[in-house]
Amino acid sequence: MTVRRRSQLNHLKYLTSTAQSCFDASFKNTRLTEASQFYSSLVQQCLHTRSLLDVGIVQTHMIKFGYIHLHIGNKLIDASLKCGSISYARKLFDELPNRHIVMWNSMISSYISHKKSKEGIGLYERMVLDGVYPDEYTFSCVFKAFSNLGLINEGRRAHGLSVVLGLEVSNVFVGSALVDMYAKFGRMKDARLVSNRVVDKDVVLFTALIVGYSQQGDNGEALEVFGSMINQGIKANAYTFASILITCGNLEDLTNGKLVHGLVIKSGYEPAVASQTSLLTMYARCGLIDDSLRIFKRFPNPNHVTWTSLIVGLVRNGREELALKKFRKMICKSIVPNSFTLSSALQACSNLAMIDEGRQIHAMVTKFGLDRDVYAGAALVNLYGKCGSTEMARSVFDALIDIDVVSMNSMIYSYAQNGFGHEALELFNSMKELGLEPNEVTILSVLLACNNSGLVHEGCQIFATITNNQTIELTRDHYACMVDLLGRSGRLEEAEALVKQVRNPDVVLWRTLLSACKLHGEVEMAERAVNKVLELAPGDEGSHILLTNVYASTGFG
DNA sequence: ATAGGGTTAG
């Protein structure tokens, strides 16, 4: 706090009590510039101290002496926003009779950057209704609010207005905001159309496009955009590198990954935290987890995202023990895990069937208030299912605030693993009412449940429905499950017919059929199956033994 | 006077 500021505010108080007459209307008219400078410098002081109280003092004084000037009003609003009080700024905003476009923009962008997209859009709509035309500053921030709230139609309407006002592609900020919005809506075609029209594309616009393609699973296109950006002589920055490294990781494209790593080093962005986390992830996804570990060691202060990336990478690469060790170390360093971290640590426990460790992490999930989180929840359901505690799995499942397909799948699979076929079917049948669309994993889980509980009829029915609808792509795993189900119940002909339906039947399918043959003493089919197994896996000892068993049990051989 | 993009998960 400066002495000068104190003296100015004291001076203000002095003026308030003794020199009111100086600030009457005539003063205002004759010495406007002086008053303006006076207030302006006071507001400037408020900005330095970030004290809303001072803003209030200045404002009260201004209103009391009838000094209303747009420029100063803006500064007051700006000062309130910078002091962290949107509501106070809004109060000032609503009180002032004439609002300049800058005020509207400041208010709207503050709302949106403080995760109050609804209020931001509300103000944007009022602005349009009031006949104030949004400008490039307005558009550069409202589109984000539409994507935050998933309001696609409203976003398109605003896009339309920006076209009418000629701001869509003439300003790169507006253009990239539009590209980002359409990308977040998954509408890459629209994003691309806007991008193509922007005259002066910059690195931010390209990055938004790259991230869009990457997150929509079109990593190849993301890589192309990156290439064309470089060709146009636009330099990548830390954000771009972070995104394109993730793209390489998604593609498990080590060649390009290493190439980009080289570019990162060359351009001097390596120290940027962002690039390094993505570097770590890229190497982990490409299977070079030791490189990830080496990169991790170079972080002076790894944050929760860095730790989580490492843990996730370790679990992906089958290094669950080390993942849990790192997780404990992270906790020791008082870094707060989030649902990403906890679900990965829980996955490590599931893979190792470490129920005690898992229970401890469950306690942390509770401690950090993530009991109702779908990700942590699904991981817990998996853990308890894997370790045979179906009841615990169900109680976690029932506490979830939002049930999605994945958590539903986890619960059905938990039932399946532990032989609770009817419970699994019941959940499966409840999905329609909940508005959840089953996917491949759901079907596999429910078929496994039928298989493990001998619910042949129900399993066949579900399989037939899926085959007829053709909405879900059936994999070899689905077929293997059905072959087992039919085979075990003695419907060997149907089982063999099913194997033959598969485009490239693998060893697992034939071996499954062979086991069924053994169970029912079916010699001829067993011989056919063994031949197929040996075709695909020459020297398979196991199938010979199985065949011998079949011969023995039927008196052949 | 005001403005934009990234990284961790079933």
Side-chain angles (χ1 to χ4, degrees), chain A residues 428 438-440 442-444 446-447 459-474 478:
Chain A
F428 176 68
N439 62 18
E440 305 88 71
T442 322
I443 300 304
L444 186 59
V446 77
L447 289 178
C460 288
Q461 218 171 28
I462 292 169
F463 189 77
T465 314
I466 301 300
T467 314
N468 290 336
N469 288 352
Q470 295 193 334
T471 44
I472 291 169
E473 202 178 334
L474 294 170
H478 294 91

Side-chain angles (χ1 to χ4, degrees), chain A residues 125-416:
Chain A
E125 281 170 349
R126 218 184 93 194
M127 169 185 193
V128 177
L129 284 177
D130 280 8
V132 180
Y133 288 144
D135 65 3
E136 57 268 44
Y137 288 87
T138 327
F139 285 122
S140 69
C141 65
V142 283
F143 295 128
K144 194 189 200 67
F146 291 117
S147 62
N148 284 345
L149 298 172
L151 298 171
I152 183 152
N153 289 329
E154 289 79 353
R156 295 182 84 98
R157 210 174 302 144
H159 178 190
L161 185 58
S162 75
V163 174
V164 172
L165 296 173
L167 297 166
E168 176 209 26
V169 295
S170 64
N171 179 294
V172 73
F173 285 79
V174 180
S176 4
L178 273 167
V179 167
D180 182 55
M181 178 182 78
Y182 284 120
K184 296 267 152 64
F185 284 135
R187 307 184 70 109
M188 290 315 295
K189 276 190 186 146
D190 291 320
R192 194 53 173 257
L193 282 174
V194 174
S195 155
N196 287 343
R197 285 198 295 265
V198 177
V199 202
D200 277 320
K201 301 189 221 342
D202 69 356
V203 62
V204 177
L205 187 139
F206 276 110
T207 308
L209 205 55
I210 289 169
V211 172
Y213 279 122
S214 193
Q215 290 185 344
Q216 295 308 313
D218 197 347
N219 291 288
E221 195 59 37
L223 218 51
E224 294 237 332
V225 173
F226 179 72
S228 85
M229 183 187 96
I230 301 294
N231 279 340
Q232 288 175 45
I234 295 166
K235 281 192 182 151
N237 61 21
Y239 286 95
T240 328
F241 283 130
S243 318
I244 205 67
L245 282 167
I246 294 306
T247 303
C248 296
N250 291 343
L251 290 166
E252 297 181 15
D253 180 349
L254 190 59
T255 314
N256 275 313
K258 282 192 164 171
L259 206 78
V260 175
H261 187 177
L263 287 175
V264 172
I265 294 171
K266 233 170 92 180
S267 57
Y269 279 115
E270 217 195 10
V273 179
S275 307
Q276 289 195 9
T277 298
S278 339
L279 256 184
L280 190 157
T281 304
M282 188 273 288
Y283 281 115
R285 294 217 174 165
C286 292
L288 298 185
I289 189 66
D290 292 317
D291 286 80
S292 302
L293 283 162
R294 220 168 292 138
I295 291 166
F296 182 79
K297 276 195 192 124
R298 297 212 308 252
F299 277 83
N301 293 309
N303 62 18
H304 69 285
V305 176
T306 324
W307 279 101
T308 306
S309 308
L310 181 71
I311 293 166
V312 168
L314 286 166
V315 176
R316 270 183 87 98
N317 285 274
R319 306 273 291 269
E320 286 89 353
E321 304 260 6
L322 188 55
L324 287 170
K325 215 176 128 190
K326 294 288 179 193
F327 174 71
R328 282 188 289 263
K329 201 165 169 191
M330 168 184 165
I331 299 296
C332 281
K333 292 193 180 286
S334 305
I335 290 171
V336 178
N338 60 15
S339 82
F340 282 66
T341 328
L342 292 166
S343 63
S344 311
L346 285 166
Q347 202 195 320
C349 297
S350 290
N351 293 355
L352 300 170
M354 290 174 72
I355 186 69
D356 290 332
E357 181 90 24
R359 280 207 189 95
Q360 283 173 31
I361 299 175
H362 188 173
M364 285 188 211
V365 171
T366 307
K367 185 179 152 194
F368 291 111
L370 294 166
D371 275 307
R372 306 171 87 87
D373 179 90
V374 271
Y375 289 101
L380 282 169
V381 169
N382 282 335
L383 171 80
Y384 288 119
K386 175 83 183 274
C387 300
S389 316
T390 318
E391 273 180 36
M392 268 311 287
R394 183 61 195 243
S395 86
V396 171
F397 179 78
D398 284 335
L400 295 181
I401 200 149
D402 259 333
I403 294 168
D404 64 356
V405 185
V406 181
S407 43
M408 184 56 98
N409 291 350
S410 303
M411 195 59 232
I412 294 176
Y413 187 66
S414 294
Y415 280 137

